[in-house]
Amino acid sequence: MHRKLLMVILIATMLAATAYPAVSVKADNSNAQKVINELEVMKTDKGSNNALTAKVSRAEFAQMLINLSSKKDYITAEANVSLFSDVKKSHWAAGYIQAAIEQGYMSGYINGSFKPSQSITLKEAVYAVVKLLGYSNTDFTGNVYTGMLKLYASKGLNENITKTAEQPLTRNDCSNLFYNVLTATNKEGKVYGGTLGYTVDTSGEINYLSLVSSSLKGPVIAKDDWKAQIPFSLAQAKIYKNDKTSSLTTIDQYDVIYYSQNQKTLWVYDTKVTGSIQSVGTNSLVPDSVTVAGTQYTLSTAAVKEQLASGGSFKTGDTVTLLLGNDNSVVYVLGLEELNVDVTGLVLSTGRHSVTNAKGEYVNTAYMTLVNASGSTFEQDYDSTSISYTSGQLVRITYNDGVSTAAFYTPVIALPASISFSADGTSLGDYKLSSSVKILDYKNGFYTSLYTNRLAGAMISSGNVIYYKLNSRSEITELILNNASGDLYEYGINLGLKSGSGSTFTYQYLLNGKSGTAASSEFIPVDVGPLGFLLNGTEISATMKLVSTVVKSVGTTYIQDSSAKYLLSEKLQVYFYDGVDYSQTTLSKVSNLAKYKLTAYYDKSTALGGRVRVIIAQNAE
């Protein structure tokens, strides 16, 4: 038995499957800029200045209006007539100006000019966007401009805009105005952005996640001349690999790439799964899934469905490598002739099952379940008559002519007895960590994935390193650790021995404020109080004794005693103890040291990667 401890990954700047969160942005100037830039509203044929403080000309504004309208895809810069004395049909914005005039969004001057280079004023811009929302001059009594400016304010079109009626607008002003228009209701009471087909959330805001997702292109497989498939220069492109900021040099062969032309950004993923095909969907002509190494994966591209369809490139029993995309679905399949890989992992459990052999016959065979550095689990069959495996052993799977072979693996650990992660978490000793490094912490069948910054600055011993793999740049791409973080344990209160007889001892505990009991085959020689537990159902697999210190000051991410600071665990447990019972509380409620005495319990020092796991509060004497 084992339990997988999942790490929750927060994507702040990418898709997650991508990097962009769906947020309400109406009152946030920077996010409004992102939405408008994604829609390319501010983009003009002139090649406008990108400085937010630059003033916007009437010609530029005319094209921006068209960009924000349902006419966007039907209007070009070309015009069939010269409408104004200063706008010949050869003018770069002639077609957009003509369209803005015909739609009633803008107008010229009495002397027959348009003044295309003159800055657009707030009054003129408001007139245009109010018309864009479906209103006409007859909807206003008295002075039309005055009525429109009142509507501009009442609809919230003035969010983040401070200009008066006659003042010129900057690119920043126009971005905010256009975003406010998108989120405002038109004359018919419908959110304008929604009428253009953009996703609007329940609060009436443009859903940025859906917006970016809709513009995302790909996947592109990094092979052959893949760069030619990206429709923009990669020299200045932003690149994220596995949701971390990266660079072009980190993109390896057979990585999966998505891109946004508007954002000039690449999102790169390198998750691969190698094993034998056990089954392919329910429809052999148009398969929707594939099962490899005991796990079923969804097929998400036409190319991979064709590869796995009846008569395609691959069939049941073939050993393949699946390339997974940003949502962990399969986008492409590689055969051993393209990518002959080996897979290294730790044995979690063993068993027996029925499988189909190359002849299509059902056979019973032994198998083991392994976990690799990325935290992915997979099954591997083996001959139990000649070898046996137990939990925790490191195994390497190799492939030869489509046949997989499992064997014990003893890696060469060329590391000093003590070694430290760099302060920024980007290297381990003399080895740089790949931007897409996979780190697994393991103990007794329990495992968890770690971020590189989790052990930043921490010193570990070479005995904490079970396995590491280097790429062609001598960067660590896979790292399996032996309980280096302490995060595998659950921390709470040992309430003491409940019963014990022979080789079985039952203990009571508090975890996350809830009481329970669990059995141990060994006596736990610790007093009642804070303790770390590895719980396998109702069995105690291991315990972690904690070190105590008296708290002298409390910070947001740390506590301090008389001599040192100690970082707090993200899963810090805080209890108030009245001398008889423990009740769960929060640190903010007991942080007044004049009122409460606090004792912190940590697994090891921060310098070794430890954290404060439990804090006990008592009334100050």
Side-chain angles (χ1 to χ4, degrees), residues 4 9 16-17 221 241-243 250 252-258 267-274 295 297 320-334 339 341 343 372-378 436-438 477-478:
K4 183 174 182 180
I9 298 177
I221 309 302
K241 188 165 184 178
N242 297 324
D243 301 333
T250 65
D252 296 314
Q253 189 176 35
Y254 301 124
D255 283 351
V256 177
I257 302 166
Y258 299 84
W267 289 271
V268 184
Y269 300 88
D270 67 355
T271 305
K272 300 175 178 65
V273 175
T274 298
T295 302
Y297 300 90
V320 298
T321 294
L322 309 179
L323 304 185
L324 306 187
N326 58 1
D327 59 354
N328 284 323
S329 64
V330 185
V331 301
Y332 200 74
V333 177
L334 300 174
L339 185 65
V341 300
V343 179
N372 61 15
S374 67
S376 299
T377 59
F378 56 98
S436 58
V437 65
K438 310 295 193 305
T477 58
E478 297 180 14

Side-chain angles (χ1 to χ4, degrees), residues 493-516:
I493 307 296
N494 170 30
L495 296 177
L497 182 66
K498 181 179 181 181
S499 63
S501 61
S503 60
T504 302
F505 302 89
T506 301
Y507 291 87
Q508 292 179 293
Y509 61 80
L510 274 177
L511 290 176
N512 297 311
K514 297 181 179 180
S515 62

Side-chain angles (χ1 to χ4, degrees), residues 371-412:
V371 60
N372 61 15
S374 67
S376 299
T377 59
F378 56 98
E379 295 177 356
Q380 172 64 35
D381 295 339
Y382 67 96
D383 182 3
S384 60
T385 61
S386 60
I387 194 170
S388 62
Y389 294 95
T390 59
S391 178
Q393 291 177 320
L394 189 66
V395 173
R396 170 159 287 182
I397 313 301
T398 56
Y399 300 90
N400 185 25
D401 293 329
V403 178
S404 61
T405 303
F408 297 120
Y409 182 65
T410 303
V412 176

Side-chain angles (χ1 to χ4, degrees), residues 61-96:
F61 194 81
Q63 183 172 356
M64 293 172 187
L65 276 174
I66 299 304
N67 291 344
L68 194 67
S69 75
S70 59
K71 305 290 184 180
K72 177 180 180 179
D73 297 326
Y74 307 100
I75 304 299
T76 67
E78 298 178 358
N80 50 20
V81 295
S82 296
L83 292 177
F84 300 97
S85 59
D86 52 359
V87 181
K88 305 300 182 184
K89 63 181 181 180
S90 59
H91 189 281
W92 71 265
Y96 305 113

Side-chain angles (χ1 to χ4, degrees), residues 130-136 139 151 155 184-192 195:
V130 167
K131 289 296 187 72
L132 195 65
L133 290 174
Y135 293 90
S136 65
D139 291 312
L151 184 69
K155 280 187 171 291
T185 54
N186 62 13
K187 184 178 177 180
E188 297 177 350
K190 299 178 180 178
V191 177
Y192 182 69
T195 67

